[in-house]
Amino acid sequence: MLDIVKAGSAPLTIDNFVDGAWIGGETRFEVRDPGRTADVVARVAAADAELVDRAVAAAAGALKGWSRVPVAERAALVLQAADLIEAEAEKGLDGLAGVVVCETGMLPAEIVLELRGAAFASRDNVTAAQAALEPVVIEDATSIVRIERRPIGVVAAIVPWNAPIVLLIRKFAPALVAGDTLVIKTPPTAPAGIALLMAALAPLFPKGVINVVHGGAEVGAALAAHPKVRLISFTGGGVAARAIMRTAADTLKNVQFELGGNDAAIVLDDFDLDKGIPMLAAGAFHRSGQFCFAIKRLYVPEAIYDAFFERLAAHLDKVRIGHPLDPRTTFGPINNPGQLAFLNGLVAKTRAAGGDLVELGQPVDPATWAEGNYIRPTLVRRPGPDFEVVTCEQFGPVLPVIAYGSLDAVVALANGTEYGLGSSIWTTDFDRGLALARRLEAGMTFINKNAQSRLGRRHMPFGGIKQSGIGTENAEAGLAEFTEIHAINIHKA
């Protein structure tokens, strides 16, 4: 499907993709390998306001024809896209995964799973469309009411760097099956995989349905301001979301925001240390802690705290930190220098405040440690409740482990934040876990694994409350975000 330059070769040249054609520009920026920052993965053409306008115009021009394609035909094309994505996953590092590994810093196995997850997401949205796009018809003796869903229009999809492929496809698939057209803004530190994948999938669809532009906040602002964009679907941070929302207000756009979190994990006193520690550690440190619903605060009963902490530390001390293409590596780098600086600053502030930090794991190659954005997984033992490491979204492998006395106390602590994305409960008693889950202020709660099951990926709306988002992704509810309602009342006489 893709003719990709393999990792370690000359940098890729990545242009914008607008109306079926690659378009360069006067300005380019470099994408560097997070594990070896001297290596340039790609040189990428930055879009300007004029090119953003061209991309939106292409999407708007394609909208009329694409929106009239029957749902079944749109769905069939999205299923073809899913097959191509899955075939790409099977290539491993010889395909798209090799590029995405080198621009994100994630481990190869994680990116292959991400590609497979993207294929699942495409198929799941096709299944969801069968119910979500079906008209609702209500009739009595005098009239008929039809509630229909139709495409919302041009969608601006703004995607982050931490899981760029699957997070894009969770916008791409519902938008296209709903009959919308897309302008995709890639993340500046991980644009190449998205651009290559979208250009490869674009021939399945009419010209102009899929467009890709690159750049920073100025490109996002141009999309948010554009009068022909009807929905901004954004995954990222709250600061950027508020800026987008202010700009979008001028043209009364719809917004769909999947934002950050300060996700609490609550361990109950019946937690099985032997079986549970590896899954709990993955819930916090998968992708080196760089995923939105990672465990950010870990609450443990006082009665088992010391045994739990020592067991978790011993498990994390086995990780080997290094370049993701080194087969010895089990824990990769941080994606970009700015995020690494934030995490190092957070560690320094915690230590200055009197925090007890335990840094774990070993470098694969200490001699090359300074060549990449590396940090060791770090636990903070018994931090104060007002420590920044407890109240912020770390988005990296620095985890506070907090003791608690009673369930009422830990519920108050877990809910005492303006974030509300995910949460998790760890117990061998399902009924007890469910009762506690209902007390938590979060858009999602996981019990005994901080992840979606296959059933969850199909049926679980994904999104947060409070400052963690507006709207939802995934399932029928998420697909509905990409439509607007048209209500029709037929009078019989």
Side-chain angles (χ1 to χ4, degrees):
M1 174 176 121
L2 297 172
D3 182 16
I4 293 177
V5 179
K6 292 184 179 180
S9 60
L12 295 163
T13 297
I14 300 293
D15 290 336
N16 300 279
F17 186 80
V18 175
D19 205 19
W22 291 107
I23 299 176
E26 295 182 0
T27 304
R28 289 190 178 270
F29 59 91
E30 292 181 338
V31 177
R32 293 183 176 269
D33 183 334
R36 195 163 40 243
T37 56
D39 290 355
V40 177
V41 178
R43 294 189 173 93
V44 182
D48 56 16
E50 180 182 356
L51 187 55
V52 169
D53 185 65
R54 286 176 62 185
V56 175
L63 179 64
K64 185 175 181 179
W66 176 241
S67 65
R68 290 180 177 176
V69 173
V71 173
E73 293 181 26
R74 298 197 301 252
L77 294 175
V78 172
L79 289 177
Q80 288 185 45
D83 291 343
L84 291 174
I85 295 168
E86 188 168 57
E88 198 61 33
E90 297 307 312
K91 297 179 184 178
L93 290 174
D94 289 332
L96 184 69
V99 173
V100 181
V101 164
C102 287
E103 66 180 345
T104 62
M106 306 301 171
L107 301 181
E110 293 168 341
I111 298 303
V112 170
L113 285 175
E114 181 178 335
L115 285 164
R116 290 183 180 140
F120 281 135
S122 296
R123 295 179 183 126
D124 287 346
N125 274 281
V126 167
T127 303
Q130 295 172 12
L133 301 182
E134 186 69 21
V136 175
V137 181
I138 307 153
E139 183 174 3
D140 66 10
T142 62
S143 73
I144 302 170
V145 171
R146 289 180 61 88
I147 303 169
E148 301 181 349
R149 288 197 173 270
R150 59 189 182 187
I152 199 168
V154 176
V155 174
I158 303 178
V159 186
W161 49 260
N162 59 311
I165 302 300
V166 73
L167 293 178
L168 169 60
I169 296 300
R170 280 172 35 176
K171 305 176 190 301
F172 164 98
L176 294 192
V177 78
D180 303 319
T181 56
L182 284 166
V183 180
I184 298 157
K185 193 197 92 64
T186 63
T189 62
I194 288 175
L196 292 168
L197 179 61
M198 289 298 102
L201 298 183
L204 294 173
F205 304 91
K207 191 170 70 168
V209 168
I210 298 170
N211 305 275
V212 182
V213 292
H214 309 295
E218 69 287 350
V219 175
L223 286 168
H226 202 290
K228 291 185 179 179
V229 171
R230 295 312 315 150
L231 169 66
I232 301 282
S233 180
F234 170 77
T235 301
V239 172
R242 286 189 286 274
I244 289 169
M245 198 168 185
R246 283 191 294 269
T247 303
D250 289 339
T251 49
L252 293 179
K253 287 179 175 56
N254 286 34
V255 295
Q256 178 198 45
F257 291 156
E258 196 270 281
L259 308 178
N262 188 15
D263 301 37
I266 301 175
V267 173
L268 299 187
D269 53 14
D270 62 354
F271 178 73
D272 188 326
L273 289 173
D274 292 326
K275 293 182 179 179
I277 286 288
M279 286 189 292
L280 195 150
F285 294 97
H286 175 64
R287 290 178 176 259
S288 302
Q290 299 170 101
F291 63 105
C292 60
F293 62 101
I295 295 170
K296 315 293 196 314
R297 297 173 288 155
L298 179 53
Y299 293 97
V300 181
E302 183 64 62
I304 66 169
Y305 183 93
D306 290 337
F308 177 96
F309 191 97
E310 294 308 315
R311 189 74 66 89
L312 178 60
H315 177 81
L316 290 171
D317 207 34
K318 297 174 184 177
V319 305
R320 294 298 175 261
I321 308 143
H323 194 282
L325 294 179
D326 188 321
R328 298 171 295 174
T329 295
T330 61
F331 195 92
I334 301 304
N335 173 260
N336 59 81
Q339 185 61 21
L340 179 65
F342 170 77
L343 290 167
N344 283 330
L346 190 60
V347 167
K349 290 178 188 177
T350 304
R351 186 172 285 115
D356 181 3
L357 290 92
V358 181
E359 297 182 6
L360 300 156
Q362 298 299 322
V364 165
D365 184 358
T368 61
W369 184 263
E371 295 178 6
N373 302 325
Y374 296 114
I375 185 172
R376 296 170 69 188
T378 302
L379 299 178
V380 186
R381 191 196 304 262
R382 298 181 184 273
D386 58 347
F387 277 28
E388 184 178 346
V389 72
V390 176
T391 61
C392 77
E393 180 184 29
Q394 305 96 330
F395 217 79
V398 183
L399 180 67
V401 185
I402 305 149
Y404 72 89
S406 70
L407 285 182
D408 287 344
V410 77
V411 167
L413 289 169
N415 291 341
T417 174
E418 282 304 305
Y419 290 109
L421 184 56
S423 57
S424 60
I425 296 165
W426 302 79
T427 176
T428 57
D429 186 332
F430 171 79
D431 291 332
R432 193 179 175 206
L434 182 59
L436 182 57
R438 289 172 172 152
R439 300 177 65 185
L440 298 182
E441 296 173 358
M444 306 174 290
T445 299
F446 305 95
I447 298 177
N448 292 334
K449 193 172 185 180
N450 193 58
Q452 292 171 301
S453 67
R454 181 67 193 94
L455 188 69
R457 289 197 298 270
R458 164 61 186 89
H459 293 285
M460 186 177 183
F462 191 100
I465 61 173
K466 300 194 280 189
Q467 297 295 311
S468 287
I470 295 174
T472 189
E473 293 186 335
N474 209 40
E476 285 79 0
L479 195 148
E481 301 267 351
F482 292 84
T483 67
E484 58 188 10
I485 290 174
H486 185 203
I488 303 169
N489 194 179
I490 303 167
H491 295 268
K492 294 182 177 179

